[in-house]
Amino acid sequence: MDPKTKKAKTCWNVPASTIAEQTFNPIRNIVDSMKLTPNPEKEMIALSIGDPTVFGNLPDPEVAEEAVIAAVRARKSNGYGPSVGCKMAREAVAKHISTPSATVTAQDVILCSGCSSALDLCITCLANPGQNILIPRPGFSIYKTLAESLGISILMYDLIPEKSWEADLGHMEELIDVNTAAIIVTNPSNPCGSVYSQRHLEDILALAEKYKLPIIADEIYEHFVFPGLKYHPIASLTKDVPVLSCGGLTKRYLVPGWRLGWIIINDRHDVLTQVKSGLVRLSQRILGPNSLIQAAVPDILEKTPASFYLETLNYIKRNADVFYERLSAVPGLVPVMPQGAMYMMVGYDKDLFPEFKTDIDFTQSLVTEQSVFCLPSTCFQYSNYFRIVLTVPTEKVTEACDRIQEFCSNHYTDVLNGVNGHQH
């Protein structure tokens, strides 16, 4: 039959594409399927969403607001710009990101619609269907969502809670095979709040160098580290391993809805020449991020006072200290003290809470009885933990701890010693 021959269909059949069918967000799927019915006698305390703006207690910097207002009033940033972002904004990002050992220029920067868009472009550009990328476990679910939608497999290397969630390097090396296209490294970490030492990052880089694998560095929480600790951009620690570093304004500046992210192409020995061209072409699918926010970027990055960062970090660190001290004293709970970002992972001994088969059951019951909502670690491809967000108002931290303690007291069951409920 002539392929040009038209034949009327007798019924509608409009299927979704393969990519659409393969796109699956674990967090949304799990949360949407949970039976979240809060206790009507207790106000809901949501410790679940990594959005620092939810409670209104952590305002964005005034400098940022003024910069956006000025961009609006100037009426010079209302049109289309380059798909990779306007030069002025890219120059500001390059200056902000550059270190003595890893200097980049505007030509190495691609601006995106948030860090998730940056990750999307990097994964799409580095891997083909049938290949795999290594991601951390527990890890941010977007890596899995993005990769599997494209037919790219994910292999999850374990993080070690007893070592402040350092990567299990032996496990990472075991997973690498001929189809591995890249390693994703998250530092500082969501959901763990870990901040890697220079030595640990260098050990990861040594593996990447050994197997000649590029690194996708999720560094959206750059410099978001507690006092006494130091953030090391992974690209600053290597002269050989190519690194695509993904970041943005979202977390440090407390403006997730502004959707301004970036990719920093840290090329080594010109091995990313094709990748760089590919990222530029992929950026043309979106045609650049928000033009008004781009216009504000130079002032935001250059003029935000250091006191703003310090006050934000001190606030979150104080909350982390309270959560850690209080929850450490609850039998059956094992919180892991974070070193940065805005999260804490809390483990529970499943043998002491036998009525809960999974962490989803545990957190769902916590909502039903105490109106405290934490994300189950199943959202991060892990089990028997839950993640709490540290950006809530301090008075809610104490109340949340009281409720979690009461919940655990009611359900604690030490079978070996014949103790259950309130008796311990």
Side-chain angles (χ1 to χ4, degrees), residues 357-424:
K357 293 182 179 179
T358 67
D359 49 77
I360 295 175
D361 296 335
F362 186 100
T363 52
Q364 187 170 270
S365 295
L366 181 57
V367 171
T368 302
E369 296 179 26
Q370 299 290 342
S371 296
V372 175
F373 184 24
C374 307
L375 277 188
S377 58
T378 297
C379 291
F380 310 106
Q381 294 85 52
Y382 211 61
S383 59
N384 304 323
Y385 278 76
F386 56 89
R387 188 197 74 174
I388 57 179
V389 172
L390 303 173
T391 54
V392 294
T394 301
E395 62 271 17
K396 290 185 182 291
V397 172
T398 302
E399 176 65 21
C401 287
D402 288 342
R403 295 189 198 177
I404 293 171
Q405 184 174 12
E406 181 179 345
F407 175 81
C408 290
S409 176
N410 289 339
H411 294 281
Y412 179 94
T413 304
D414 188 345
V415 178
L416 290 177
N417 296 311
V419 177
N420 69 331
H422 293 281
Q423 299 173 38
H424 67 278

Side-chain angles (χ1 to χ4, degrees), residues 78-245:
N78 296 328
Y80 290 120
S83 66
V84 295
C86 68
K87 186 176 181 182
M88 179 179 64
R90 288 186 289 121
E91 286 176 340
V93 171
K95 181 180 177 182
H96 168 74
I97 291 292
S98 287
T99 67
S101 59
T103 302
V104 294
T105 70
Q107 298 301 312
D108 304 310
V109 178
I110 293 177
L111 300 183
C112 308
S113 180
C115 188
S116 56
S117 173
L119 291 163
D120 189 9
L121 265 61
C122 290
I123 292 171
T124 303
C125 197
L126 284 179
N128 286 308
Q131 289 188 290
N132 65 68
I133 57 173
L134 271 54
I135 70 171
R137 177 174 59 197
F140 185 35
S141 66
I142 197 73
Y143 311 141
K144 176 181 172 73
T145 299
L146 295 171
E148 292 186 344
S149 71
L150 299 168
I152 299 162
S153 300
I154 54 151
L155 300 177
M156 296 180 281
Y157 62 87
D158 290 333
L159 306 183
I160 307 170
E162 295 80 12
K163 293 186 176 181
S164 298
W165 301 108
E166 284 190 352
D168 184 333
L169 297 172
H171 188 221
M172 180 186 285
E173 185 166 16
E174 284 177 15
L175 293 174
I176 295 170
D177 63 26
V178 293
N179 291 317
T180 302
I183 303 171
I184 292 184
V185 178
T186 315
N187 180 55
S189 165
N190 172 16
C192 301
S194 55
V195 177
Y196 289 162
S197 67
Q198 178 175 338
R199 174 65 182 273
H200 188 55
L201 290 169
E202 287 172 344
D203 288 343
I204 293 172
L205 286 164
L207 270 184
E209 165 65 15
K210 179 178 179 179
Y211 292 96
K212 301 299 183 283
L213 291 172
I215 284 177
I216 300 173
D218 184 350
E219 297 178 327
I220 188 63
Y221 290 96
E222 57 155 6
H223 301 292
F224 212 109
V225 302
F226 295 157
L229 293 159
K230 185 175 181 181
Y231 160 71
H232 299 279
I234 194 167
S236 70
L237 303 177
T238 177
K239 296 179 180 179
D240 298 307
V241 179
V243 177
L244 297 179
S245 174

Side-chain angles (χ1 to χ4, degrees), residues 259-274:
R259 311 311 298 146
L260 197 290
W262 53 69
I263 301 169
I264 311 299
I265 304 167
N266 297 278
D267 201 355
R268 298 294 185 262
H269 315 300
D270 297 322
V271 301
L272 293 181
T273 302
Q274 293 182 34

